[in-house]
């Protein structure tokens, strides 16, 4: 099983989030390095958005 440390931070104290993410070997089997990188980036991007809260609202004067 491949293991990766994912992290995300806003740069403010206490905002850093880290997690060890495991990807099953069969999910990466047969991929070349570029395909693996792209797949891991997709997994990472999904992980980031699961760990970040954000939003916006209109402010009327």
């Amino acid at each position: 099983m491949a293991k990766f440390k994912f992290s995300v931070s806003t740069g403010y104290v206490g905002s850093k989030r880290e997690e060890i993410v495991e990807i099953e070997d069969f999910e990466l089997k047969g991929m070349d390095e570029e395909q693996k990188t792209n797949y891991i980036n997709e997994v990472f991007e999904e992980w980031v958005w699961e760990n970040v809260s954000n939003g916006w609202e209109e402010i009327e004067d």
Side-chain angles (χ1 to χ4, degrees):
M1 182 170 304
K3 294 182 182 183
F4 303 90
K5 180 166 57 169
F6 287 178
S7 62
V8 64
S9 173
T10 63
Y12 292 100
V13 174
S15 69
K16 189 171 187 178
R17 170 91 167 108
E18 291 183 338
E19 184 176 347
I20 302 298
V21 175
E22 298 178 342
I23 299 176
E24 296 287 343
D25 292 333
F26 73 86
E27 293 182 64
L28 302 173
K29 188 175 181 177
M31 292 184 184
D32 62 28
E33 285 305 310
E34 183 177 357
Q35 291 170 320
K36 284 181 186 179
T37 298
N38 289 338
Y39 182 77
I40 294 164
N41 282 336
E42 288 175 20
V43 173
F44 174 72
E45 196 168 315
E46 183 178 320
W47 177 87
V48 167
W49 288 110
E50 289 174 357
N51 286 281
V52 173
S53 296
N54 62 53
W56 64 272
E57 65 180 86
E58 184 176 4
I59 307 295
E60 297 189 26
D61 293 327

